[in-house]
Every structure is written in structure tokens, then in C-alpha cells.
């Protein structure tokens, strides 16, 4: 099923590296957040910054109630004449509020980062009382009392005070609010959405933010950022942050150095639930504005789907080649798990499409609580109607999911949950040797092959099927980079042969610049000693200097 | 003209101007990363909400006033037929409004910077220097505007300070004009040229980055990945980091 037939003929074709997260499998372990932080935001000034964070839903989120756009005015809106406008006001208003941005969340809306005075545990004088490590602010070094954190309401902790303030609960009927007392929750891992219509880029007065033409990654040019901080307030997902020490904006980079090397982002690579899928989507850049401007918010999901192009179509391929998309990228788009989940199976949904930024990290809504409800109501896979009847009385209110993923349109969410339920029923039947139930499949409009493909992607989820990332074409930069990094070793970025099509299916390449035997490299530490860099080490080769040069120990 | 006057009112001001120009070129070239307003709105917002707009808009008005008062010669306004009395009333009232905005803003901001620990922690030594100089310039600029011209007998700085200042740019500064001016004007002028000398090395450089281009550029910007020369390992591309950034 193509996303859009090329009847009209695509406009400018662009490629986007996108992500789909299967919420069913997220266990809320925060591994993704921690590895992301270690990679990108473990410096002074970024203590409070989590490019990747995992929220418990329902919950207030990070920063506090960021989804309340009546307060923060992130994203886009339509003006009276139906034209797309930044919700926080026009260009002139931005310049006039340069010195005080009324929509900027303060550090207390994120949290004041702190550490503990661990040293006092070992240096405290002998006494009857146990020594304690007092919390110290990482901003000022003073004693502080932590009152808020990035995961303060993890696993519904303090739900009465926090979860009840979730903006997504607004508009839910009173009865659903009460049902919430019977507790439901799931995890929502969030990164920057690398939107097709990024309001952060549009809000930056300096023009320091940009979307990369080649892969759609949205980045901050820190050399041109002047610290006007409108990107922070302009992003409705609050995924641009202000480094309070350097005075510059920073944001999720989609791990572009890894993506360029054909490797998954660090959050995906380390995801314990193996629930993140990465791949290329081709889209019609000329159609984005129109799609983002559709009148009814509930049509935004369909509108965004209509922007994506089917790479199997000859017309799309021709247009893509015309617009300079490399052949191996088109090939990758065909094998893209993201394309399969978003366009073919239509089980992934965008987060808050009503912000009109056309987000590109999509989510498969969680089903797990459904099966419990299904069992509770006497599930029987002979009777698909009863399966779906059970879906209507879910623990997670359908309206709640719809507020998150479809601007409140429950029918779309329901359709996705039907597909996921049908997949389970079908696979269970196969497991038990029962004949496939054609009625069940017909009711969700999928063939047995489709369902099994979906099962393979979501449940088996092999590494090579989750991540199909074509390497960057950096032929031109090879000569420049050679000064410091050997890139033209076989399979390196500057190696022409590495860009052959069948390379896509090969094992992930080593990182450029880390070509030492065993995959690691050496570097000189700040104390002057030569140490071994574990990044890229394959675990078996020699690791000279891993513990320093030893002589001083 | 004594040797001191020569140094103080000609050589050092010219040196300050030279440092101002060369310093900016240098910083623009080598420290794009440090070129920022270094906003502290994230850390504290209530005082900033009033302090920052008052201070900035007041400063714009004050700068406009200086351009009128110092760079436009008295003969020009006389030629327009504006009598000295009217001019002085106008400049004092306009100046007073601007001065009030600036002084309230500066008091709020200075209070904030010295007493809010989170904000204090982000301030580098060269920022302190710039802020102290700014405070001197502002306070000593406001006292004459309000005190001498509005309430007192009035002092025609356009026949003294302005002559010297304009002369600096015409390469013929009138030293006796400033050397005989009241002390308060002398200190004001001294702090002003001192500020010029530290300007390029402080956060004040953000003044040149008011993003007017934003008014007519397209909303969404695309850039392609261009090959760039690699940076020296370990420097992150910065060849200079000390000034303006404490960390
Ligand atoms: S989610 Fe990312 S790309 Fe989208 S507006 Fe926010 S920062 Fe920009
Ligand atoms: S690592 Fe994976 S499973 Fe764990 S919290 Fe992150 S997304 Fe969820």
C-alpha cells in the first residue's frame, strides 16, 4: 500500500532519517537516556539536559507540563485566514521580546541539577551519627533540597500530584479521569522529532538552526547561535536546550556522526527493549507546508502520510534521482523499517501532530495492557469481534492515546490497536497449529503475509531489520579529513566501494577515525598519559594503555 | 596641554579605539563559539523580566541621545532654528526618561547578578569588569543629565566634551575642551573609552548581533553537509576560549 501514488508527480524529493518506537516493548529502564547523556550531555552546563528522556504517562513530563501549549506556545498554529503561523507570534514580536522571552521555561521547570557531597562520607570525623552526603547544586555548589527532577514522577510516583497534571488528560471525560484511579501507565521515550516543518528552526532569529538537506537531521550551528533562546520556546516538544555555561543552544543530534557512518543512534543501539527502528523515508518537500496547514487537526496524521513517497514507485525513483538522492539511499528507503511501519502497515503514529511541526519520530501505541483487558473479558481468538469489543474497554483510555498521537481522533488509534491485536491472535493460532482466521485478517485489512511481516519486525526485531541506515556520501570531504582521520581504509567513509548497494546489508562499519587494531584508538588524556579509547573497540583486539601507561602507578 | 592630558585624552583613547577594532576582528575570526549574549533567563526570570527590557530599551534611547548630542554639532541645530534652551529642555527630558529606564534596569540587573547565586555563578571576571565600567558610565552619565541640566544651572557639554569626542574621529581632538570640563564628565568619558577597550572581550559583543535578518529570511533553513577542514584534535575547533567563557 503506497503512502501516496505519484498521480500528481512528486515535487522536490528529500530523504529523512526517521525513527519509530514500539511502545509495547518499552520497559522504562532509562538505558537510552543514560547512554545518550554519557555520549552527548555529560559536560558542565548540560547537567540538566536530557536529549533522550523517558516519561511515565500519564505524567507531567520533562520539562514540567511541556505539552501545555496554551502556556508555552510552542509549534505552529493557523491564523484566521488559515495560514501557518508560529504560535509564539511573528518575527517582529520575537525581536521585541529579545531581552526577555516570556515563553521560555525556567530551569525550575526542568530541574536544578544536583550532585552529592560524597567526600564527606569518607572524611567525616568519628561520631555517633552516620555521616551523610548532602545534595549540592551543580549550578552554584551550594546546599540544596531537590524538589524536582527529570523523572520525578517515574512509574507514577506521586501520581496524585503529578500525573493528574498531565495536559493529555484534558478533554477526557470525567469517567475516564476516574478510571485513571484504577491506574494505567506506560512509558514514552522522547528525543527530538527532527521535524519536517521544524518550529525551532523557524524561531531562531540568528538563523543558526537548520535542517540538513541530505538526511533531514535538525542541528544547531553553535558558531552562529547568539543565545537568543527562541528555539527553546519555539519547540513544542521542548527538545532544544540552553547550555547555561556556554550560553548556546544544544539539541539532540540524532547521533549524526554515527548515522553518517551507517550506525544506529546511541539510544537505539543500547535500547534494552530493542524497540527502536531507524530508516530512511522519502518525502515531497514541496508538499510539507500544505500538509502542515490542513484545517482540521485530526487530518494532520493523514496529511503527513500523504507527504511521504513510496520508493518502489518508478515515478518516485525517477524524481528522487533527479533531485540528487543517491541510489543506495533509494535502495535503503525501500528496505526501510520506518517506511514499512508508518506507510505500509500503518501502525506507527506521530506524537502530537497538532503541533503542526510534522514530527519524524513515530510511535506504535502500547497494546500490552489491552491483552490483560482482553483476558479479563473472556478473550477467544475464534471470535474476532470479541477481541475488538475488548479493545473498547481498555485500561489505557483510547482518548488518552488519541490525545497523544492523533490530535484526539480515536478511530485511528483504534485501527492500530486492532491490527496489533489481530497480529497476536494470528501468531498465537500459528503457534498452536490452528488454521489462520481469514475473517480476523480481513477485518483489519491485512494479509497473512502482512501480519507475519509485522510480527517479524516488531517481535523478532533483528538488528539488521531494525536499522537500515545508508552511509553518508562524503566523497568530497575525504581529502580534507585525511589530515587527522584515515577514512579511506577499506569500508571507510571515503572508500568509494563502501557505497555499493549490497553494503547496506553488511555488518555495521567501524567508526571513521577509530581504525586501530581491535577497533579502538589511543588518545592523550588531559593528564598527558596515553590512554586507550574503548569507543569502537571490538572487545577482542589488543587494548594498549587501557589503564594508562602503568609507570606512574 | 600637559603630558598627562596628552596620554589621557588622546593616546589612551586612540589605543582603546584600536583595541576595540582589532579586538572585534580577532574575536569574530577566532571565537564565534564564545560570541553570545550569555543569557541567564534560564536561571532567573522574574527580575530579568523587568530589568532586561528596561535596561536595553533605555540604552537604545541613550545611544540615540548621544548621537544627537555629541555627534550632531551645535551649529547644525542652531541652523535648524532650535534655540539652545529648547534643545536643552528636550534633551534633558528625553534623557531623563531614558536615564530612568536605564537606571532602574541596571539596578535590577546588578541586584540580580550579585545576589542570585545561580546568576553569579555564570559571571566571568571580564564580565565583572565590563559591568563595573558600565555602571560607572551610566551613573556618571545620568547625574549630569538629571542633576546639572535639569535641576541645576546647566552645562553645555556640546561646547566641551562633544568637541573633544568628535575631534577624536576627525583626528584633531580638542584636549583643552575636555580637560577643562567638570570632573564628572571626565570620569564618564574615561570609563566610556575604557569600555571600548574591553568591549570585544566581553559578552557586550552580542550588541552587534541583533538579528534583523530574521525579519525577511525564510522560516525553515536547509543546509547541506559541506566538507570542512578538520579542526585541531582536542580543541573542538576553538582556537581561543578563555575570554568571556569562564569554563
Ligand atoms: S522536535 Fe526537534 S526538530 Fe521538531 S521543533 Fe523540536 S527541536 Fe525542532
Ligand atoms: S532503553 Fe529502550 S526499553 Fe529502556 S527506556 Fe529506553 S526505549 Fe525504553
Amino acid at each position: 500500500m503506497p503512502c501516496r501514488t505519484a498521480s500528481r508527480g512528486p515535487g522536490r524529493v528529500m530523504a529523512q532519517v526517521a525513527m519509530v518506537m514500539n511502545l509495547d516493548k518499552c520497559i522504562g529502564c532509562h538505558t537510552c537516556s543514560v547512554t545518550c547523556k554519557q555520549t552527548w550531555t555529560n559536560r558542565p552546563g548540560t547537567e540538566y539536559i536530557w536529549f533522550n528522556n523517558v516519561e511515565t504517562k500519564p505524567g507531567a513530563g520533562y520539562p514540567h507540563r511541556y505539552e501545555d501549549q496554551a502556556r508555552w506556545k510552542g509549534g505552529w498554529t493557523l491564523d484566521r485566514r488559515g495560514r501557518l503561523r508560529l504560535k509564539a507570534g511573528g518575527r517582529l514580536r520575537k525581536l521585541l521580546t529579545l531581552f526577555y522571552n516570556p515563553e521560555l521555561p525556567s530551569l525550575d521547570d526542568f530541574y536544578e541539577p544536583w550532585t552529592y557531597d560524597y567526600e564527606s562520607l569518607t572524611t567525616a570525623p568519628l561520631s555517633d551519627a552516620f555521616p551523610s552526603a548532602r545534595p549540592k547544586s551543580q549550578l552554584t555548589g551550594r546546599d540544596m533540597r531537590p524538589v524536582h527532577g527529570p523523572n520525578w514522577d517515574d512509574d507514577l510516583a506521586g501520581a496524585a500530584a503529578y500525573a493528574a497534571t498531565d495536559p493529555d488528560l484534558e478533554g477526557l471525560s470525567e469517567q475516564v479521569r476516574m478510571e485513571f484511579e484504577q491506574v494505567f501507565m506506560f512509558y514514552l521515550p522522547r528525543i527530538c522529532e527532527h521535524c519536517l516543518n521544524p518550529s525551532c528552526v523557524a524561531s531562531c532569529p540568528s538563523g543558526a538552526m537548520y535542517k540538513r538537506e541530505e538526511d533531514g537531521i535538525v542541528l544547531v550551528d553553535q558558531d552562529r547561535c547568539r543565545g537568543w533562546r527562541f528555539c527553546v520556546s519555539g519547540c513544542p516538544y521542548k527538545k532544544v536546550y540552553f547550555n547555561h555555561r556556554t550560553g548556546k543552544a544544544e539539541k539532540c543530534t540524532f547521533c549524526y556522526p554515527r548515522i553518517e557512518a551507517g550506525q544506529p543512534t546511541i539510544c537505539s543501539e543500547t535500547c534494552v527493549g530493542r524497540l527502536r527502528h531507524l530508516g530512511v523515508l522519502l518525502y515531497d518537500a514541496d508538499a510539507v507546508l500544505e500538509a502542515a496547514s490542513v484545517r482540521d487537526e485530526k487530518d494532520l496524521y493523514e496529511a503527513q502520510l500523504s507527504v511521504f513517497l513510496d520508493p518502489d514507485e518508478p515515478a518516485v525513483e525517477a524524481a528522487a534521482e533527479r533531485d540528487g538522492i543517491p541510489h543506495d539511499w533509494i535502495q535503503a528507503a525501500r528496505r526501510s523499517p520506518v517506511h514499512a511501519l508508518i506507510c505500509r502497515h500503518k501502525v506507527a503514529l506521530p506524537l502530537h501532530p497538532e503541533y503542526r511541526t510534522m514530527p519524524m519520530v513515530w510511535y506504535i501505541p502500547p497494546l500490552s495492557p489491552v491483552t490483560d483487558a482482553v483476558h479479563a473479558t473472556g478473550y477467544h481468538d475464534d471470535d474476532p469481534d470479541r477481541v475488538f469489543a475488548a479493545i473498547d474497554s481498555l485500561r489505557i483510555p483510547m482518548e488518552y492515546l488519541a490525545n497523544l498521537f492523533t490530535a484526539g481522533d480515536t478511530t485511528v488509534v483504534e485501527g492500530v490497536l486492532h491490527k496489533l491485536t489481530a497480529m497476536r491472535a494470528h501468531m498465537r493460532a500459528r503457534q498452536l497449529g490452528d488454521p489462520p482466521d481469514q475473517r480476523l485478517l480481513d477485518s483489519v485489512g491485512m494479509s497473512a503475509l502482512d501480519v507475519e511481516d509485522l510480527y517479524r519486525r516488531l517481535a523478532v526485531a533483528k538488528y539488521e531489520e531494525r536499522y537500515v541506515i545508508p552511509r553518508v556520501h562524503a566523497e568530497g570531504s575525504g581529502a580534507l579529513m585525511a589530515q587527522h582521520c584515515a577514512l579511506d581504509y577499506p569500508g571507510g567513509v571515503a572508500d568509494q566501494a563502501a557505497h555499493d548497494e549490497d553494503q547496506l546489508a553488511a555488518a555495521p562499519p567501524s567508526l571513521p577515525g577509530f581504525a586501530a587494531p581491535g577497533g579502538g584508538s589511543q588518545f592523550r588524556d588531559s593528564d598527558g598519559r596515553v590512554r586507550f579509547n574503548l569507543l569502537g573497540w571490538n572487545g577482542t583486539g589488543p587494548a594498549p594503555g587501557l589503564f594508562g601507561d602503568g609507570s606512574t602507578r | 596641554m600637559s603630558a598627562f592630558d596628552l596620554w589621557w585624552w588622546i593616546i589612551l583613547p586612540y589605543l582603546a579605539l584600536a583595541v576595540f577594532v582589532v579586538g572585534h576582528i580577532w574575536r569574530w575570526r577566532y571565537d564565534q563559539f564564545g560570541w553570545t549574549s550569555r543569557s541567564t533567563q534560564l536561571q532567573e526570570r522574574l527580575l530579568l523580566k523587568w530589568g532586561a527590557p528596561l535596561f536595553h530599551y533605555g540604552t537604545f534611547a541613550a545611544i540615540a541621545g548621544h548621537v544627537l548630542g555629541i555627534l550632531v554639532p551645535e551649529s547644525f541645530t542652531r541652523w535648524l532654528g532650535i534655540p539652545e534652551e529648547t534643545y536643552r529642555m528636550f534633551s534633558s527630558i528625553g534623557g531623563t526618561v531614558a536615564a530612568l529606564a536605564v537606571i532602574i534596569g541596571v539596578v535590577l540587573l546588578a541586584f540580580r547578578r550579585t545576589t542570585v547565586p545561580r546568576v553569579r555563578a555564570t559571571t566571568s571576571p571580564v564580565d565583572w569588569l565590563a559591568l563595573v565600567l558600565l555602571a560607572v558610565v551610566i551613573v556618571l552619565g545620568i547625574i549630569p543629565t538629571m542633576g546639572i541640566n535639569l535641576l541645576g544651572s546647566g552645562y553645555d557639554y556640546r561646547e566641551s566634551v562633544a568637541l573633544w569626542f568628535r575631534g577624536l574621529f576627525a583626528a584633531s581632538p580638542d584636549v583643552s575642551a575636555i580637560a577643562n570640563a567638570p570632573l564628572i564628565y571626565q570620569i564618564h568619558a574615561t570609563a566610556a573609552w575604557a569600555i571600548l577597550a574591553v568591549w570585544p572581550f566581553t559578552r557586550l559583543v552580542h550588541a552587534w548581533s541583533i538579528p534583523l535578518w530574521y525579519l525577511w529570511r525564510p522560516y525553515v533553513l536547509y543546509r547541506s553537509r559541506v566538507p570542512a577542514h578538520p579542526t585541531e584534535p582536542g580543541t573542538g575547533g576553538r582556537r581561543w576560549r578563555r575570554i568571556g567563557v569562564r569554563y
Side-chain angles (χ1 to χ4, degrees):
Chain A
M1 209 191 313
C3 271
R4 191 179 93 195
T5 52
S7 56
R8 188 153 58 106
R12 172 150 192 222
V13 181
M14 289 181 84
Q16 168 87 34
V17 183
M19 189 186 284
V20 169
M21 298 195 215
N22 180 5
L23 294 185
D24 242 356
K25 301 206 299 185
C26 180
I27 57 172
C29 63
H30 301 281
T31 307
C32 45
S33 307
V34 171
T35 50
C36 171
K37 194 154 191 40
Q38 287 291 12
T39 307
W40 292 106
T41 55
N42 58 353
R43 296 156 285 135
T46 61
E47 307 93 344
Y48 80 102
I49 299 176
W50 297 83
F51 289 167
N52 182 110
N53 75 298
V54 185
E55 295 166 3
T56 302
K57 283 284 168 190
Y62 157 84
H64 193 73
R65 278 177 63 82
Y66 69 93
E67 288 155 299
D68 180 4
Q69 302 311 337
R71 166 71 186 87
W72 303 117
K73 304 220 167 33
W76 304 86
T77 186
L78 294 184
D79 68 6
R80 253 171 287 125
R81 286 158 61 193
R83 288 171 309 180
L84 207 57
R85 287 285 172 266
L86 284 174
K87 199 169 178 121
R91 302 168 193 257
L92 198 60
R93 180 177 184 274
K94 285 235 157 58
L95 291 195
L96 290 177
T97 52
L98 213 51
F99 310 119
Y100 172 77
N101 175 354
E103 279 91 34
L104 187 80
S106 77
L107 200 71
D108 299 305
D109 292 305
F110 295 89
Y111 69 105
E112 177 161 356
W114 72 90
T115 180
Y116 290 92
D117 172 22
Y118 294 107
E119 205 188 350
S120 69
L121 295 181
T122 52
T123 58
L126 199 60
S127 84
D128 288 341
F130 284 114
S132 65
R134 275 169 310 170
K136 298 268 183 197
S137 164
Q138 285 185 308
L139 288 177
T140 60
R142 299 179 175 211
D143 282 339
M144 67 171 277
R145 203 168 68 90
V147 288
H148 193 49
N151 275 298
W152 210 242
D153 53 350
D154 207 16
D155 292 343
L156 292 183
Y162 297 104
T165 66
D166 185 338
D168 296 313
L169 286 170
E170 269 152 36
L172 265 68
S173 60
E174 200 56 29
Q175 174 237 345
V176 172
R177 269 177 182 275
M178 288 306 114
E179 264 177 37
F180 157 72
E181 298 300 327
Q182 300 161 19
V183 174
F184 69 92
M185 66 163 226
F186 59 96
Y187 301 105
L188 183 71
R190 295 202 304 124
I191 63 171
C192 163
E193 301 276 347
H194 297 276
C195 309
L196 296 186
N197 183 31
S199 55
C200 57
V201 175
S203 302
C204 170
S206 307
M209 294 191 69
Y210 61 98
K211 192 168 176 64
R212 288 217 298 198
E213 268 168 24
E214 290 82 357
D215 48 21
I217 295 178
V218 176
L219 294 173
V220 184
D221 179 346
Q222 296 219 330
D223 275 352
R224 287 190 59 188
C225 171
R226 299 292 175 240
W228 300 128
R229 65 214 178 276
F230 282 99
C231 52
V232 180
S233 54
C235 168
Y237 303 92
K238 292 294 169 282
K239 277 297 170 188
V240 193
Y241 302 87
F242 191 76
N243 181 323
H244 59 80
R245 294 216 165 166
T246 60
K248 302 264 167 163
E250 295 194 22
K251 69 178 287 298
C252 160
T253 62
F254 218 72
C255 289
Y256 72 87
R258 291 176 60 94
I259 294 286
E260 285 175 5
Q263 297 191 332
T265 65
I266 205 79
C267 55
S268 309
E269 176 83 88
T270 58
C271 174
V272 171
R274 304 183 179 189
L275 56 89
R276 300 189 182 215
H277 303 255
L278 285 168
V280 174
L281 265 180
L282 299 184
Y283 70 99
D284 181 347
D286 293 340
V288 168
L289 194 64
E290 195 189 318
S293 316
V294 296
R295 204 151 254 299
D296 187 356
E297 288 182 346
K298 294 188 177 161
D299 294 336
L300 278 162
Y301 163 62
E302 287 292 338
Q304 189 167 0
L305 276 186
S306 77
V307 167
F308 303 143
L309 299 169
D310 180 0
D312 284 317
E313 245 182 67
V316 169
E317 180 174 359
E321 253 156 34
R322 172 198 72 198
D323 294 332
I325 309 239
H327 190 62
D328 55 343
W329 279 62
I330 301 175
Q331 295 257 322
R334 291 193 179 129
R335 298 182 49 230
S336 166
V338 169
H339 181 257
L341 294 171
I342 292 179
C343 297
R344 215 162 54 234
H345 298 304
K346 291 209 169 68
V347 289
L349 302 171
L351 180 64
H352 289 305
E354 71 273 22
Y355 299 161
R356 296 180 185 271
T357 59
M358 305 263 118
M360 289 307 292
V361 173
W362 287 37
Y363 296 86
I364 302 177
L367 181 65
S368 298
V370 173
T371 49
D372 289 344
V374 167
H375 284 137
T377 51
Y379 162 79
H380 197 283
D381 58 16
D382 282 351
D383 185 352
D385 290 341
R386 272 171 68 195
V387 173
F388 300 146
I391 283 184
D392 294 335
S393 54
L394 291 176
R395 280 295 270 287
I396 302 183
M398 200 80 77
E399 292 96 330
Y400 186 78
L401 291 178
N403 277 351
L404 273 177
F405 299 119
T406 56
D409 184 355
T410 47
T411 49
V412 175
V413 177
E414 214 168 314
V416 172
L417 296 184
H418 280 184
K419 281 183 188 163
L420 297 177
T421 315
M423 175 185 82
R424 293 197 170 194
H426 177 83
M427 291 315 295
R428 173 173 305 151
R430 274 203 50 179
Q431 195 82 28
L432 301 176
D434 294 344
D437 180 348
Q438 197 54 47
R439 250 189 336 134
L440 177 74
L441 296 175
D442 289 345
S443 69
V444 292
M446 294 172 91
S447 69
L449 272 182
D450 282 340
V451 168
E452 280 155 34
D453 179 65
L454 188 61
Y455 167 79
R456 209 175 24 125
R457 290 180 184 282
L458 298 188
V460 182
K462 288 275 190 216
Y463 190 96
E464 314 77 61
E465 292 209 329
R466 268 181 291 141
Y467 311 130
V468 180
I469 308 161
R471 265 171 273 171
V472 72
H473 280 257
E475 291 85 348
S477 62
L480 290 169
M481 299 284 282
Q483 187 184 345
H484 294 301
C485 315
L487 292 178
D488 44 1
Y489 57 88
V493 173
D495 178 16
Q496 292 291 331
H499 299 290
D500 286 351
E501 292 154 27
D502 56 357
Q503 288 278 329
L504 282 172
S510 56
L511 282 174
F514 293 105
S521 65
Q522 288 185 314
F523 65 100
R524 192 168 291 281
D525 207 348
S526 51
D527 61 5
R529 282 196 241 162
V530 173
R531 291 180 189 277
F532 185 71
N533 187 349
L534 283 174
L535 188 62
W537 186 45
N538 65 10
T540 54
L546 184 56
F547 301 104
D549 51 18
S551 57
T552 51
R553 273 188 297 142
Chain B
M1 182 175 24
S2 66
F4 172 81
D5 284 341
L6 180 69
W7 269 99
W8 202 254
W9 299 119
I10 296 187
I11 298 180
L12 289 183
Y14 272 121
L15 272 180
L17 268 177
V19 171
F20 180 80
V21 173
V22 176
H24 271 105
I25 297 173
W26 182 47
R27 183 133 190 223
W28 181 259
R29 212 160 130 34
Y30 290 109
D31 190 33
Q32 282 291 323
F33 182 74
W35 195 291
T36 157
S37 59
R38 294 184 51 65
S39 159
T40 48
Q41 190 185 339
L42 190 73
Q43 287 96 320
E44 197 287 328
R45 58 182 298 167
L46 292 179
L47 290 168
L48 186 86
K49 176 177 181 176
W50 295 103
L54 275 174
F55 171 71
H56 283 92
Y57 287 118
T59 310
F60 289 161
I63 290 171
H66 278 75
V67 171
L68 277 181
I70 297 188
L71 292 185
V72 177
E74 194 165 352
S75 51
F76 182 73
T77 44
R78 211 173 285 142
W79 177 77
L80 283 180
I82 303 170
E84 170 69 18
E85 271 309 302
T86 322
Y87 173 84
R88 200 177 295 161
M89 270 322 279
F90 173 78
S91 76
S92 291
I93 293 171
T96 305
V97 173
L100 276 177
V102 173
I103 201 85
I104 297 174
V106 132
V107 165
L108 283 174
L109 292 183
F111 173 74
R112 179 177 176 275
R113 189 153 294 278
T114 46
T115 61
V116 179
R118 286 177 181 181
V119 179
R120 246 190 110 92
T122 66
T123 314
S124 63
V126 70
D127 282 332
W128 285 119
L129 177 63
L131 296 176
V132 168
L133 284 175
L134 259 186
V136 170
V137 171
I138 289 167
V139 172
L140 296 190
I142 284 172
I143 292 174
T145 309
M146 307 228 282
I148 303 183
N149 284 331
L150 200 61
L151 309 174
S153 56
Y155 173 73
D156 191 2
Y157 56 85
R158 303 177 86 204
E159 285 303 336
S160 58
V161 184
L163 284 184
W164 162 77
F165 186 75
R166 269 207 310 279
L168 279 180
F169 295 98
S172 61
D174 183 350
V175 176
S176 60
I178 181 85
N180 296 324
L183 185 64
I184 200 163
Y185 284 99
Q186 292 190 354
I187 304 179
H188 177 73
T190 304
W193 62 247
I195 277 199
L196 288 188
V198 297
W199 192 298
F201 313 108
T202 65
R203 67 177 69 196
L204 294 181
V205 290
H206 78 271
W208 315 122
S209 296
I210 293 183
L212 291 178
W213 177 55
Y214 184 59
L215 289 176
W216 52 83
R217 72 137 218 255
Y219 263 141
V220 178
L221 303 177
Y222 294 89
R223 282 199 214 170
S224 62
R225 224 184 139 272
V226 278
H229 274 284
T231 55
E232 284 303 313
T235 62
R238 262 178 290 155
R239 275 157 285 187
W240 176 52
R241 61 194 293 191
R242 272 274 156 264
I243 290 175
V245 184
R246 193 166 155 205
Y247 310 97

